[in-house]
């Protein structure tokens, strides 16, 4: 998680004041998005897994949660290939990384 890179991106765009708002929005949406990824993995539908991973991948990329973004990209691509056993393993890694990112953000976000 590169919070400084996210802050710098916002500063370059002239919207540095949006940092706490965007982090709050990510943290607010994370449980629902995380549950959606888990649900689709449990159901074993690769098409739905790819959709859920893609949605969360975009949000992770926006806030510079780079490792989570990379894992979700792998999950999305693996699901599109229909490799269900690999999909489940990557899903476990995604779950762990989501927990790590959430803790990181809650501990370090401005005003938090």
């Amino acid at each position: 998680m590169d919070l400084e890179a996210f802050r710098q991106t916002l500063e370059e765009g002239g919207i540095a004041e949006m940092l706490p708002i965007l982090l709050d929005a990510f943290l607010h949406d994370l449980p629902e998005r995380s549950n959606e990824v888990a649900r689709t993995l449990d159901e074993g539908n690769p098409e739905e897994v790819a959709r859920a991973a893609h949605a969360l991948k975009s949000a992770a990329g926006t806030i510079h949660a780079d490792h989570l973004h990379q894992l979700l990209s792998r999950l999305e691509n693996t699901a599109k290939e229909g490799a269900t056993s690999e999909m489940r393993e990557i899903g476990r890694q995604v779950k762990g990384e989501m927990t790590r990112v959430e803790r990181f953000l809650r501990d370090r976000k401005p005003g938090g």
Side-chain angles (χ1 to χ4, degrees):
M1 177 77 222
D2 193 345
L3 195 55
E4 187 54 40
F6 184 42
R7 179 179 290 116
Q8 187 175 16
T9 298
L10 294 175
E11 285 176 6
E12 289 170 0
I15 56 170
E17 69 280 0
M18 294 296 294
L19 180 66
I21 295 165
L22 294 171
L23 293 179
D24 282 342
F26 180 85
L27 287 169
H28 179 267
D29 292 346
L30 186 59
E32 182 179 338
R33 290 180 186 218
S34 175
N35 288 339
E36 181 68 6
V37 170
R39 181 189 64 75
T40 60
L41 282 165
D42 286 345
E43 291 174 357
N45 181 332
E47 199 171 286
E48 291 298 309
V49 171
R51 183 193 53 74
H54 180 80
L56 184 52
K57 178 185 77 172
S58 298
T62 297
I63 67 162
H64 291 260
D66 298 330
H67 188 60
L68 179 57
H69 182 266
Q70 291 169 357
L71 285 171
L72 287 161
S73 182
R74 281 183 53 210
L75 180 58
E76 179 183 11
N77 291 334
T78 301
K80 286 179 179 177
E81 294 167 1
T84 56
S85 61
E86 188 178 350
M87 188 175 74
R88 292 185 203 299
E89 174 55 35
I90 297 168
R92 284 189 281 278
Q93 294 174 36
V94 165
K95 181 179 179 183
E97 185 63 11
M98 283 189 288
T99 299
R100 192 185 77 71
V101 167
E102 181 178 18
R103 285 184 187 147
F104 178 90
L105 290 176
R106 291 200 189 283
D107 288 348
R108 291 175 180 83
K109 74 181 181 92

